[in-house]
Amino acid sequence: MDPVSALAVDPSGLSMTSHPIQRAGAWAVAVLAGRATPREVTGPDLDAVAARLVEDVMTAALAPKDSTAYDWWKVLFALYPNSKATHSKRPRDHAALLPEILALLVPDASGSPTWPCTFCGVPAAVVWTKSNLPMYDTNKALNTLPPGVAGWPVCRGCRVAAWALPYGAWVTAGSATVLSCEQDAAEREFTARNVLRAKRIMQLGFDGLGAGARPESVVLRALKALGPDLPAAATLWSFKNDNQDPWLRVTRTRRAVPLFLATVEGNAEPRRGWRLLELALTRRDKKGQPVTSGPAEAARLLFEAEDGRSRSLLSQLHQLLDEPEKSWSLRNRAALTRLAFIYAEEILGMNPDLKPVATVIADWIEHGSGAPRGRLAEYRNAALSDYKLGALLMQAHFRLTLDGRAVAATPEDWRPLIQQRPRAWEQRMLLSATVLQLLQERGVAVNERPVDPDDEARTELLMERPILGGEDDDDDMGAA
């Protein structure tokens, strides 16, 4: 049976809805069909894409378990665990299995009763359940069918989109991630790169991909392409749809991220800071090969989890700058600090003047009684606590006054930092970065490990080189 002739001819095209799964699948159909948007997909385009899907599904379903082609079956199993293509009792004979796969994507039978499609509302004669839809069937999401309901009506276009989803999603052997964005261009870029990645998985398996890659890196590339004049929020929907433990995780960026990325890219100091962050987050094995992609981990910091369980870029920068065992050159510390302040300004809408308060703390550390190292340790212990920081600032104020030194800040300057108010936590982290930079600029000896010239030379060399592994390998995906 010829898949192309069996699937033709459907006069309808393809709708694009706001449902993240249908929308991601529709974009995948458009990219596979060579169309600019899903709205341009025609009936013949839909037939051709459906035939392509059937061919790839058949290859995966019949692949030996020790072959690279079997990795695409793992992707299908994670999304459609009880479908004809992935069921453990599926026929292993091509002629026997093909009609069952074709039946998923053929046009609706003429004259059949119809219902509005669950996704786009057009008449649909086919009803599907979780077996054929990549829906995360969990009590955390309202998509479980009530008793006695045969399934969700799904039109032919949305059925093809549902099975095109793994091409346009960021897939692993057990989950998928799709993107929703205010700008169509970002969604298409995300989809196009994932289609290339899907081709690589089919040909080389997951072992052919770079280590530590993440979907957030692909999104950031797409948002960078928008430029600073197109603010856009992006949402990643990551889910698992198997029979064991289905789950859904939602992370988002703020609308100002394209502007932040353009600011970082267009200015040398924050661009250097971002590169240093990538280097610091890269993890390598004993052979020096990357096992965690620094660029991917840095990109992840710009996404905020819906459940609140995510790291922020500001907290990560604070951790890097405040590590006593880590020695930064003055240039590199200034670059990381500048990156933190640009993030606070562009993403969080903050523009605090922390120099006066930072000067008070730096003066106290430098000129107070005892060794500066001890006072720096005391400040680090108090830096992120509103109560402890207030007590320390009062102590520093009195000490400097009694010593006859000028005090650069008043209690009014401290107030935003020592109260439990929005953004006080973030301001305290920025204050800490400013204090440490001031101390280094002054040459205050706090007995930290001095900067090793050899380490500094290696860092400068790495700054000029791409970090191999992860998303950097995506530039070569055209070969797939």
Side-chain angles (χ1 to χ4, degrees):
M1 185 184 302
D2 179 12
V4 176
S5 60
L7 291 164
V9 169
D10 185 8
S12 63
L14 176 66
S15 300
M16 183 170 64
T17 73
S18 59
H19 192 290
I21 290 177
Q22 191 277 346
R23 189 176 184 89
W27 273 114
V29 173
V31 171
L32 289 169
R35 300 296 182 180
T37 71
R39 299 177 185 88
E40 297 179 14
V41 172
T42 64
D45 289 335
L46 207 60
D47 296 331
V49 171
R52 161 75 179 277
L53 299 182
V54 169
E55 181 180 349
D56 291 344
V57 167
M58 290 294 298
T59 300
L62 300 177
K65 289 187 177 181
D66 59 352
S67 67
T68 55
Y70 191 70
D71 279 4
W72 192 248
W73 179 88
K74 296 176 184 177
V75 171
L76 299 178
F77 180 74
L79 298 178
Y80 324 93
N82 296 314
S83 70
K84 299 294 185 181
T86 59
H87 200 281
S88 60
K89 296 182 179 179
R90 67 188 182 280
R92 295 307 199 271
D93 177 71
H94 187 281
L97 180 60
L98 181 58
E100 297 186 7
I101 304 303
L102 285 170
L104 296 172
L105 303 178
V106 294
D108 293 356
S110 178
S112 300
T114 63
W115 304 268
C117 174
T118 302
F119 297 102
C120 68
V122 306
V126 175
V127 294
W128 269 6
T129 63
K130 177 177 178 282
S131 297
N132 295 323
L133 286 170
M135 303 282 279
Y136 31 87
D137 191 2
T138 166
N139 57 9
K140 295 182 180 179
L142 298 179
N143 64 355
T144 304
L145 287 167
V149 177
W152 292 281
V154 188
C155 71
R156 198 279 180 105
C158 290
R159 282 186 280 128
V160 174
W163 278 75
L165 173 78
Y167 296 78
W170 176 274
V171 292
T172 70
S175 66
T177 299
V178 300
L179 171 69
S180 297
C181 186
E182 294 175 296
Q183 298 292 338
D184 286 356
E187 291 183 339
R188 195 187 197 288
E189 174 69 13
F190 181 79
T191 303
R193 295 187 69 84
N194 287 335
V195 167
L196 293 175
R197 184 173 182 269
K199 293 178 182 178
R200 174 173 282 188
I201 295 171
M202 290 181 201
Q203 292 183 10
L204 305 176
F206 284 106
D207 289 341
L209 303 178
R214 297 194 58 86
E216 291 88 350
S217 296
V218 184
V219 176
L220 252 62
R221 289 173 185 260
L223 293 179
K224 280 183 181 179
L226 294 177
D229 298 326
L230 286 178
T235 302
L236 285 176
W237 310 78
S238 302
F239 61 96
K240 179 182 179 182
N241 181 48
D242 66 5
N243 295 322
Q244 303 299 319
D245 184 24
W247 50 261
L248 168 68
R249 186 171 187 265
V250 182
T251 59
R252 297 184 173 92
T253 66
R254 299 183 183 234
R255 298 187 77 242
V257 162
L259 177 58
F260 168 76
L261 294 173
T263 303
V264 170
E265 192 71 20
N267 294 275
E269 194 172 39
R271 186 169 64 245
R272 182 181 183 84
W274 185 267
R275 185 61 172 168
L276 288 166
L277 175 65
E278 292 179 336
L279 290 171
L281 294 176
T282 299
R283 298 290 179 267
R284 301 177 183 272
D285 60 19
K286 294 180 180 179
K287 297 180 179 180
Q289 296 301 312
V291 294
T292 299
S293 167
E297 292 302 308
R300 190 180 183 187
L301 295 171
L302 293 177
F303 286 78
E304 301 173 24
E306 191 176 55
D307 59 9
R309 293 190 293 180
S310 57
R311 293 178 300 158
S312 76
L313 177 64
L314 203 55
S315 63
Q316 182 66 59
L317 290 172
H318 170 76
Q319 179 181 329
L320 286 177
L321 289 167
D322 199 47
E323 290 180 354
E325 67 277 6
K326 177 67 176 178
S327 296
W328 297 102
S329 69
L330 183 57
R331 181 187 180 190
N332 288 343
R333 182 178 292 281
L336 289 166
T337 301
R338 181 62 182 147
L339 178 64
F341 272 85
I342 288 178
Y343 175 83
E345 181 177 355
E346 302 292 358
I347 302 298
L348 304 180
M350 299 168 55
N351 191 20
D353 179 13
L354 300 175
K355 193 68 174 288
V357 179
T359 300
V360 169
I361 298 173
D363 287 346
W364 173 72
I365 292 173
E366 181 178 10
H367 301 296
S369 58
R373 182 182 182 183
R375 289 189 295 278
L376 177 60
E378 188 177 346
Y379 168 64
R380 278 185 167 131
N381 181 56
L384 298 185
S385 166
D386 53 349
Y387 174 78
K388 290 181 179 179
L389 180 60
L392 184 141
L393 282 168
M394 186 170 293
Q395 178 187 352
H397 185 99
F398 279 117
R399 183 72 265 167
L400 293 172
T401 300
L402 290 172
D403 289 346
R405 297 184 179 275
V407 182
T410 69
E412 285 301 312
D413 297 310
W414 314 343
R415 193 178 304 279
L417 296 157
I418 63 176
Q419 292 182 336
Q420 294 183 355
R421 55 188 293 176
R423 301 297 177 212
W425 174 268
E426 289 83 356
Q427 289 198 54
R428 289 194 287 271
M429 285 191 283
L430 293 172
L431 175 66
S432 176
T434 307
V435 169
L436 293 172
Q437 185 175 343
L438 280 176
L439 291 173
Q440 192 162 359
E441 288 174 354
R442 296 179 182 186
V444 177
V446 289
N447 293 334
E448 292 182 332
R449 182 171 65 89
V451 177
D452 187 329
D454 291 337
D455 286 345
E456 191 70 9
R458 281 191 291 270
T459 297
E460 290 300 320
L461 185 61
L462 289 172
M463 293 284 287
E464 303 301 325
R465 293 180 178 177
I467 302 176
L468 300 178
E471 289 303 327
D472 294 292
D473 287 341
D474 286 355
D475 291 331
D476 300 325
M477 281 191 180

